Amino acid sequence: MDVSAQHDASSIGHVAEVGEIMQAIAEHKGCGTSGGSGKASCGSQAGQGDLPTEIWEKVKNHPCYSEEAHHHYARMHVAVAPACNIQCNYCNRKYDCANESRPGVVSEKLTPEQAAKKVLAVASTIPQMTVLGIAGPGDPLANPEKTFKTFELISQTAPDIKLCLSTNGLALPDHVDAIARFNVDHVTITINMVDPEIGAKIYPWIFYKHKRYTGYEAAKILTDRQLQGLEMLTERGILCKINSVMIPGINDQHLVEVNRAVKSRGAFLHNIMPLISSPEHGTVFGLNGQRGPSAQELKALQDSCEGEMNMMRHCRQCRADAVGLLGEDRSAEFTTEKIMAMEVKYDAETRKAYQEKVEEERVAKVAAKQEELAELAGASSDIKVLAAVATKGSGLINEHFGHAKEFQVYELSTAGAKFVGHRRVDLYCQGGYGEEDSLETIIRAINDCHAVFVAKIGGCPKGDLIKAGIEPVDQYAHEFIEKSAIAWFKAYLDKVNRGEIEHVERGDAVIRQGALISAA
Amino acid sequence: MPFKIIASQCTSCSACEPECPNVAISEKGGTFVIDPKKCTECLGYFDEPQCVAVCPVDNTCVVDTSLPRYQAPV
């Protein structure tokens, strides 16, 4: 059977499941709404929670869809799609830096054949790599031949790898059938507005049907096509995540309306990301001084949308050629030159055995959290605090304070530990910022946290953190994050209740805007 | 006059190549070039030159004033 026939056959089987899955999505309204335990049981946050099994099966090993999975599973992007059909004021694809991580940035563009070899090389080296995405640096659907050729080659050689793509949505309605035919599991659509007046401030132009459109007209076409494409995908049972860039003063208030619009059309997850707009990136927003949101502004918007649907909080806004776990980038290990020289042995059995071990670890982690939660049961308090965690993955507190390139932030309350975001603190790229004291920038990045959990920390930063009002916690080194965070919070509450310490609110924190060093 | 691509500004994104109705655009030395013999300024095909309309960098696909205007066949 040739590949296209295989796809046809599987898509027939697929159609039968679609109705059930869509029914399940329709019945699933938000998360954690019935238990009174906040959103800690949300599918995007932790385990299956109250997510229907059909959907959970599709997302549980996807690092970009499941917050819990991103500790354990890796993804990769292949940069086969350099062309784009719209211009965004937050994007400048001309800028490329090997040490920088943000969407649109790549070190080299690949042909579909090179991409297929890269996927095999990475999958053989990183057995927890479960997802292959095409996310630019342009728009995958403005490059349909390259995108679908890549999917075809990968489905032939590594059929266990899930496929996904990320698009601006302009060309989406034209390609929904192909997306279904190639068994693409997940599609991400970037939707920043449903009001063309607002869209005109974000998109200077689009190229559509052989014509360049600008202003209101361009934004109207774009929003119509995005929402139409979203509806067509969800009708076919293809999971859709929506990305939105939060641009203060332009669409920050409006994103609540966007959230409602995409939820009503069956989107499964909403990822509201902060605008990246450093002047040195050369984007329109960067050059005209448009600021990005603060950590608290971003969290407040995400919280206000959460009642409507699942919110994604662990997005790293990664490169279009990123490789590895979210939060680490191993793309430098897999340059075209190195890949072409590699002898690749794709061993599906070894991968499967490794992933089974990962599953055992995950089960142990969930059990540990449950145990600690049972201890907390009965405690009642309105106090909520944020805690930062230094981790290299696997859901453990296993990173030295001084080596952390990012901190994961959890909100602790009597409902448990809820992941609410991450803060990058890696050293700035050369130029401009080098002389700034890195400890000061770290404190600014986690200034809204009461504690920071680390595997180890030196005496000097420890003192400075305490002075800044952030408690360094190293007694849970190499233990599970959530279990430890809940245990610490319980002790914190006890001390407050006994009057040993006074609970005080923390201030805001700064979201890192500079170029980021991603190489290990 | 046919169009040309200013190589120093071309990001090599390849957006123009498939849009050209005359197949006049190809990749050469890391950037894209327009074959002036094939370029018809999109006359007879579209209202606006496609390479200009789709190019993400302004003033990169420009008229080559050193060459004569395209003459549509009679």
Side-chain angles (χ1 to χ4, degrees):
Chain A
M1 189 190 289
D2 72 8
V3 175
S4 59
Q6 259 177 29
H7 283 303
D8 286 345
S10 58
S11 63
I12 292 165
H14 192 56
V15 169
E17 298 164 19
V18 169
E20 293 165 29
I21 291 172
M22 293 323 291
Q23 181 69 25
I25 292 174
E27 284 169 7
H28 172 69
K29 294 197 185 91
C31 39
T33 47
S34 55
S37 58
K39 304 296 184 288
S41 65
C42 174
S44 64
Q45 298 285 345
Q48 179 172 353
D50 58 355
L51 208 58
T53 301
E54 302 86 347
I55 300 174
W56 175 241
E57 284 300 319
K58 280 187 147 224
V59 303
K60 69 174 184 181
N61 293 350
H62 193 309
C64 304
Y65 277 71
S66 160
E67 191 278 310
E68 198 264 332
H70 100 275
H71 293 290
H72 306 279
Y73 289 100
R75 56 74 185 96
M76 68 180 290
H77 292 158
V78 287
V80 296
C84 198
N85 47 13
I86 73 174
Q87 183 67 43
C88 305
N89 280 335
Y90 50 74
C91 179
N92 174 14
R93 287 177 297 121
K94 197 172 180 180
Y95 192 87
D96 176 21
C97 171
N99 289 331
E100 194 183 7
S101 288
R102 64 181 167 88
V105 169
V106 293
S107 289
E108 43 189 10
K109 292 153 194 164
L110 305 172
T111 64
E113 289 73 21
Q114 287 171 327
K117 172 126 199 228
K118 181 171 182 174
V119 171
L120 288 188
V122 171
S124 305
T125 314
I126 308 178
Q128 67 270 45
M129 199 278 280
T130 51
V131 174
L132 179 274
I134 300 182
D139 187 79
L141 298 179
N143 303 259
E145 281 178 25
K146 288 172 182 158
T147 294
F148 292 117
K149 181 70 186 172
T150 306
F151 284 155
E152 184 188 335
L153 292 173
I154 290 163
S155 61
Q156 280 169 346
T157 47
D160 61 320
I161 291 175
K162 288 186 177 209
L163 307 176
C164 61
L165 67 88
S166 185
T167 176
N168 62 44
L170 179 62
L172 181 56
D174 304 334
H175 298 289
V176 168
D177 288 340
I179 288 169
R181 196 163 64 245
F182 283 96
N183 278 332
V184 174
D185 272 280
H186 316 96
V187 174
T188 296
I189 314 170
T190 300
I191 300 184
N192 297 316
M193 53 86 206
V194 290
D195 175 353
E197 296 280 0
I198 291 169
K201 295 177 191 161
I202 303 171
Y203 306 101
W205 57 263
I206 68 166
F207 182 76
Y208 178 62
K209 291 197 172 167
H210 304 292
K211 195 169 153 18
R212 184 182 277 212
Y213 293 85
T214 58
Y216 183 94
E217 196 183 8
K220 176 82 175 84
I221 295 168
L222 182 61
T223 181
D224 288 349
R225 299 277 290 173
Q226 287 172 332
L227 296 178
Q228 184 194 352
L230 169 61
E231 282 175 9
M232 291 168 75
L233 285 172
T234 54
E235 272 165 19
R236 286 165 173 77
I238 296 166
L239 284 186
C240 292
K241 169 174 123 242
I242 305 303
N243 278 356
S244 300
V245 180
M246 179 182 182
I247 312 162
I250 293 185
N251 73 346
D252 47 346
Q253 303 298 316
H254 177 61
L255 285 178
V256 177
E257 202 180 316
V258 170
N259 181 268
R260 271 196 296 269
V262 300
K263 162 78 177 168
S264 70
R265 287 168 177 82
F268 152 78
L269 190 62
H270 194 185
N271 173 25
I272 298 180
M273 303 172 288
L275 172 71
I276 300 173
S277 62
S278 272
E280 64 266 30
H281 297 153
T283 62
V284 170
F285 282 150
L287 295 173
N288 72 13
Q290 170 65 51
R291 72 171 181 97
S294 76
Q296 233 167 52
E297 287 171 330
L298 178 67
K299 183 174 179 295
L301 176 60
Q302 289 172 334
D303 287 350
S304 71
C305 289
E306 195 161 58
E308 299 283 325
M309 71 190 298
N310 297 351
M311 298 300 294
M312 173 173 175
R313 314 242 191 181
H314 61 285
C315 178
R316 301 299 195 284
Q317 297 176 283
C318 41
R319 296 162 60 98
D321 60 1
V323 171
L325 291 167
L326 303 195
E328 72 162 18
D329 189 355
R330 296 177 60 178
S331 57
E333 290 171 46
F334 300 97
T335 59
T336 308
E337 198 187 343
K338 287 179 188 164
I339 288 159
M340 291 306 147
M342 269 184 200
E343 199 181 317
V344 178
K345 273 196 205 121
Y346 188 74
D347 184 349
E349 283 306 309
T350 307
R351 283 173 51 79
K352 201 173 149 206
Y354 186 94
Q355 289 172 18
E356 276 166 8
K357 255 178 59 196
V358 170
E359 283 307 303
E360 282 173 28
E361 256 181 53
R362 284 178 83 176
V363 170
K365 185 187 149 198
V366 170
K369 178 187 157 189
Q370 290 306 334
E371 204 179 288
E372 205 57 50
L373 267 178
E375 284 273 305
L376 193 62
S380 162
S381 169
D382 292 335
I383 292 177
K384 282 183 179 178
V385 302
L386 297 183
V389 181
T391 174
K392 304 194 258 212
S394 301
L396 299 168
I397 301 164
N398 55 3
E399 183 69 294
H400 192 296
F401 177 80
H403 298 165
K405 290 196 221 99
E406 68 165 28
F407 290 91
Q408 303 205 352
V409 177
Y410 286 77
E411 185 174 69
L412 311 177
S413 69
T414 50
K418 171 189 165 187
F419 178 87
V420 292
H422 63 89
R423 308 285 164 73
R424 300 187 97 137
V425 293
D426 42 3
L427 296 171
Y428 282 118
C429 207
Q430 67 276 15
Y433 303 97
E435 287 145 33
E436 215 170 351
D437 185 341
S438 66
L439 187 61
E440 273 176 37
T441 65
I442 293 172
I443 289 173
R444 277 205 296 276
I446 58 171
N447 190 46
D448 52 349
C449 296
H450 276 75
V452 54
F453 291 75
V454 297
K456 213 172 170 198
I457 183 167
C460 192
K462 210 171 188 172
D464 285 0
L465 280 167
I466 292 168
K467 223 186 295 170
I470 303 168
E471 182 188 339
V473 183
D474 57 4
Q475 72 258 38
Y476 300 104
H478 304 284
E479 293 186 27
F480 288 115
I481 295 171
E482 287 166 316
K483 176 182 191 285
S484 308
I486 296 167
W488 174 87
F489 180 68
K490 192 170 168 283
Y492 179 87
L493 275 188
D494 287 346
K495 278 189 251 175
V496 171
N497 290 338
R498 285 198 303 266
E500 282 172 36
I501 52 170
E502 193 189 342
H503 173 69
V504 280
E505 299 285 334
R506 301 280 309 163
D508 204 348
V510 176
I511 294 177
R512 198 59 172 264
Q513 285 284 308
L516 302 154
I517 289 180
S518 54
Chain B
M1 283 158 276
F3 281 83
K4 65 174 178 182
I5 294 170
I6 297 174
S8 61
Q9 301 202 153
C10 176
T11 63
S12 198
C13 79
S14 78
C16 55
E17 187 191 6
E19 302 302 336
C20 177
N22 301 300
V23 200
I25 303 178
S26 59
E27 196 170 2
K28 198 176 165 188
T31 61
F32 283 79
V33 292
I34 297 174
D35 180 348
K37 292 193 204 81
K38 291 184 181 169
C39 176
T40 65
E41 304 165 36
C42 287
L43 289 174
Y45 293 98
F46 304 110
D47 293 341
E48 51 193 310
Q50 298 294 287
C51 55
V52 179
V54 78
C55 181
V57 189
D58 287 343
N59 303 315
T60 297
C61 299
V62 294
V63 166
D64 188 347
T65 49
S66 68
L67 292 168
R69 283 207 73 101
Y70 168 75
Q71 297 290 324
V74 186

